[in-house]
Amino acid sequence: MQVIDFPLRGDFITLDNLLKATGLAGSGGAAKAMVADGLVQVDGRDELRKTCKIRAGQVVSVQGARVRVVAPAAPVSPVRTGS
């Protein structure tokens, strides 16, 4: 099974946009059709809402692939040494 870590930019991404952004759907229309056909699960449950909000920590499964949505890494501050 293919596992994809998707770094989230913001509070959420809609399910159809996530499928398109990860390349699991070739277009927005294809992504919406996949959801409408019951081919997509969010956190292990079938999801039929095409534009449901997917947030960091959620897992989306479709066609032998699993997408883990992760929060972006916090910027690292440079370490200052005393002078």
Side-chain angles (χ1 to χ4, degrees):
M1 174 174 287
Q2 178 185 13
V3 177
I4 302 167
D5 284 334
F6 183 83
L8 191 60
R9 295 183 205 154
D11 292 335
F12 67 89
I13 185 170
T14 59
L15 180 57
D16 58 336
N17 284 335
L18 176 67
L19 295 174
K20 192 168 78 169
T22 56
L24 295 174
S27 67
K32 289 177 182 180
M34 291 167 65
V35 176
D37 290 343
L39 302 176
V40 182
Q41 293 80 39
V42 176
D43 294 333
R45 294 185 176 172
D46 291 341
E47 182 57 71
L48 298 175
R49 297 173 296 157
K50 300 169 190 89
T51 59
C52 75
K53 295 176 181 176
I54 305 298
R55 300 180 189 281
Q58 291 190 288
V59 177
V60 175
S61 302
V62 61
Q63 299 177 342
R66 181 171 288 156
V67 180
R68 295 185 298 203
V69 180
V70 296
V76 177
S77 303
V79 177
R80 296 182 185 222
T81 57
S83 23

